[in-house]
C-alpha cells in the first residue's frame, strides 16, 4: 500500500455530516478569523460544545459561550448586536433548523424537496450569521 499525502494509512478527509460537512472536532469550539462569523462557524462551535450530553453544558450555556466568542468580532467591526437573549434564541433556532434537516431519513435525502432545503441551509451556513438589529444602518455612524 502506498502512503497517502496525508500520511500512511490515513484518510484524506474526515467523515461527513449530512447538511453540515466534515465531522465536528474540538477545534470547531473556537471561532477564528478576521470577519464576522458565518452560520457554519456558529453552528459548528455550538455542536462542538455538545449541549445536553452528560457533564456537558446546557444548550443555553453553550450558546452563551459562543456569544462570548462572537462579541469581540462585532465590537471590532463597530456593529451593534441584538440583546444577549435574542442572540441566544437566534442561535438555538439555527441549530434546531439544522438538526431537523439532519434528521431526514436516508431514503428521503435524494428527493427534490430535501435538495431545496439543503441548498437553502448551505446558503445560511455560508452567509454571515446576523446578530445585528433590524435598524443597524441607522445605528451605525459611518458616512
Amino acid at each position: 500500500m502506498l502512503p497517502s499525502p496525508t500520511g500512511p494509512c490515513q484518510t484524506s478527509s474526515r467523515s461527513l455530516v449530512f447538511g453540515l460537512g466534515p465531522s465536528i472536532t474540538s477545534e470547531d469550539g473556537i471561532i477564528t478569523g478576521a470577519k464576522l462569523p458565518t452560520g457554519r462557524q456558529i453552528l459548528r462551535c455550538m455542536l462542538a460544545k455538545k449541549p445536553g450530553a452528560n457533564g456537558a453544558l446546557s444548550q443555553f450555556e453553550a450558546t452563551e459561550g459562543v456569544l462570548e466568542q462572537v462579541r469581540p468580532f462585532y465590537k471590532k467591526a463597530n456593529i451593534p448586536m441584538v440583546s444577549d437573549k435574542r442572540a441566544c434564541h437566534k442561535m438555538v433556532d439555527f441549530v434546531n433548523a439544522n438538526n431537523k434537516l439532519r434528521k431526514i431519513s436516508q431514503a428521503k435525502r435524494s428527493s427534490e424537496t430535501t435538495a431545496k432545503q439543503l441548498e437553502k441551509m448551505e446558503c445560511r451556513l455560508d452567509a454571515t450569521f446576523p446578530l445585528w438589529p433590524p435598524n443597524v444602518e441607522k445605528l451605525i455612524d459611518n458616512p
Side-chain angles (χ1 to χ4, degrees):
M1 180 167 142
L2 296 172
S4 69
T6 59
C9 300
Q10 291 182 351
T11 58
S12 60
S13 66
R14 299 183 284 183
S15 61
L16 297 177
V17 177
F18 179 72
L20 186 58
S23 62
I24 306 296
T25 65
S26 59
E27 294 172 2
D28 292 318
I30 300 171
I31 297 177
T32 60
K35 299 179 184 179
L36 293 176
T38 63
R40 188 176 309 275
Q41 287 175 301
I42 298 286
L43 183 63
R44 294 182 74 81
C45 189
M46 284 282 297
L47 295 176
K49 296 186 181 304
K50 297 183 182 169
N54 290 339
L57 303 172
S58 70
Q59 193 171 30
F60 186 72
E61 290 170 331
T63 306
E64 286 180 326
V66 173
L67 187 57
E68 288 304 315
Q69 290 187 49
V70 171
R71 191 172 280 118
F73 289 93
Y74 277 80
K75 189 171 186 170
K76 191 178 274 189
N78 200 26
I79 297 174
M81 291 179 64
V82 294
S83 70
D84 288 1
K85 184 177 179 179
R86 178 72 181 126
C88 288
H89 281 292
K90 287 180 95 169
M91 285 189 248
V92 167
D93 290 345
F94 189 59
V95 169
N96 291 339
N98 186 265
N99 286 342
K100 184 178 176 182
L101 181 65
R102 289 187 296 135
K103 287 181 182 177
I104 296 173
S105 68
Q106 291 283 347
K108 294 181 181 179
R109 288 185 179 181
S110 60
S111 73
E112 186 177 324
T113 305
T114 303
K116 287 179 183 178
Q117 289 175 340
L118 188 58
E119 184 178 322
K120 191 174 180 180
M121 180 56 75
E122 280 293 322
C123 290
R124 287 182 69 189
L125 288 170
D126 293 335
T128 301
F129 193 78
L131 291 175
W132 52 79
N135 62 345
V136 70
E137 292 88 10
K138 294 177 185 174
L139 297 174
I140 297 177
D141 294 329
N142 187 1

